[in-house]
Amino acid sequence: EVQLVESGGGFVQPGGSLILSCVASGLIFKDSWMAWVRQAPGKGLEWVANINPDGSQIYYSDSVRGRFTMSRDNAKNSVYLQMNNLRVDDASVYYCARDPHYAALDYWGQGTLVTVSS
Amino acid sequence: DVVMTQSPLSLPVTLGQPASISCRSSQSLVHSDGNTYLTWFQQRPGQSPRRLIYAVSNRDSGVPDRFSGSGSGTDFTLRISRVEAEDVGVYYCMQGTHWPPTFGQGTKVEIE
């Protein structure tokens, strides 16, 4: 059974930082593209970033580029999202997902909530 | 960015009756490799999204066969042949052909 488990969410003030983690099991992680997708409270889904299997290619949405950094550690079956200079509109549930091919995300974690408020 | 427009945004349905959700893209979703990367997700209340359909019409393992996807180019449809109570939730289409991947606004399916 594939499992993706996110952690690291919490409360932060505008301008602050957080690091999200996602640990994967039940899949061949080192061969998998991975993605982060977010969902603001009561809103729809928004693509954040994705990363190729060896971490050499990372793509970001315009809304987070320059502030967020996605990375991975294949030895730990983990992906990360370093979020800096957080804004109120970054407040969302952040989901980790596997991206098997052209964003057709087939496995999702349960999500971790990030709250940004003064 | 490619804009994905779903309709309707709210869909009250009667149990056992069919339901249909439209998804239109602002550009053709046919990739240069000939494939069309259009995916449908279901998000039940309080749950994470779940993939139902990929590449327009391919149903995921474990997805009931009452769900089907169709379409081409810029017009796509998700159909539920006979709605059941467990189908309540929000349905999203998403394109992966053009960067960045973009989602539709979501269609809320509820039982009337």
Side-chain angles (χ1 to χ4, degrees):
Chain A
E1 179 193 8
V2 175
Q3 280 198 313
L4 301 174
V5 180
E6 302 97 332
S7 62
F11 180 91
V12 63
Q13 294 185 329
S17 298
L18 275 178
I19 301 175
L20 307 183
S21 301
C22 170
V23 179
S25 60
L27 53 80
I28 305 176
F29 183 79
K30 65 180 179 63
D31 293 338
S32 299
W33 281 76
M34 300 297 294
W36 287 99
V37 174
R38 67 184 181 182
Q39 185 171 36
K43 302 297 184 181
L45 300 167
E46 180 188 9
W47 189 273
V48 174
N50 65 345
I51 189 168
N52 73 333
D54 68 8
S56 62
Q57 299 176 54
I58 309 169
Y59 301 95
Y60 300 97
S61 67
D62 287 347
S63 59
V64 308
R65 187 178 295 115
R67 300 187 299 122
F68 290 12
T69 302
M70 186 174 184
S71 62
R72 66 190 297 157
D73 184 338
N74 287 344
K76 296 183 178 179
N77 280 10
S78 295
V79 290
Y80 308 98
L81 189 66
Q82 168 77 53
M83 304 187 295
N84 295 330
N85 193 19
L86 281 160
R87 307 191 297 223
V88 171
D89 61 359
D90 293 318
S92 294
V93 173
Y94 283 75
Y95 295 102
C96 165
R98 187 177 79 156
D99 179 1
H101 199 50
Y102 287 96
L105 306 173
D106 56 356
Y107 296 107
W108 295 65
Q110 85 289 347
T112 187
L113 177 63
V114 173
T115 302
V116 185
S117 175
S118 55
Chain B
D1 297 0
V2 175
V3 177
M4 304 296 288
T5 303
Q6 291 182 227
S7 62
L9 298 184
S10 177
L11 183 56
V13 294
T14 301
L15 288 173
Q17 293 301 301
S20 180
I21 300 171
S22 171
C23 175
R24 290 181 173 168
S25 58
S26 60
Q27 300 177 36
S28 172
L29 299 187
V30 179
H31 193 273
S32 57
D33 65 9
N35 295 309
T36 299
Y37 297 105
L38 187 284
T39 306
W40 289 96
F41 298 95
Q42 174 195 60
Q43 188 173 32
R44 291 171 170 153
Q47 295 187 12
S48 304
R50 166 200 183 194
R51 194 178 76 177
L52 297 177
I53 303 280
Y54 62 96
V56 181
S57 59
N58 295 276
R59 194 169 46 246
D60 269 278
S61 174
V63 174
D65 61 7
R66 64 178 181 274
F67 289 93
S68 63
S70 64
S72 63
T74 61
D75 286 341
F76 304 91
T77 302
L78 176 70
R79 290 187 175 86
I80 311 173
S81 59
R82 295 173 305 280
V83 172
E84 297 190 6
E86 66 178 16
D87 301 336
V88 165
V90 180
Y91 292 78
Y92 296 92
C93 62
M94 190 201 71
Q95 67 83 22
T97 297
H98 304 282
W99 182 263
T102 45
F103 293 89
Q105 317 97 301
T107 295
K108 186 174 185 178
V109 172
E110 52 192 2
I111 305 300
E112 63 179 355

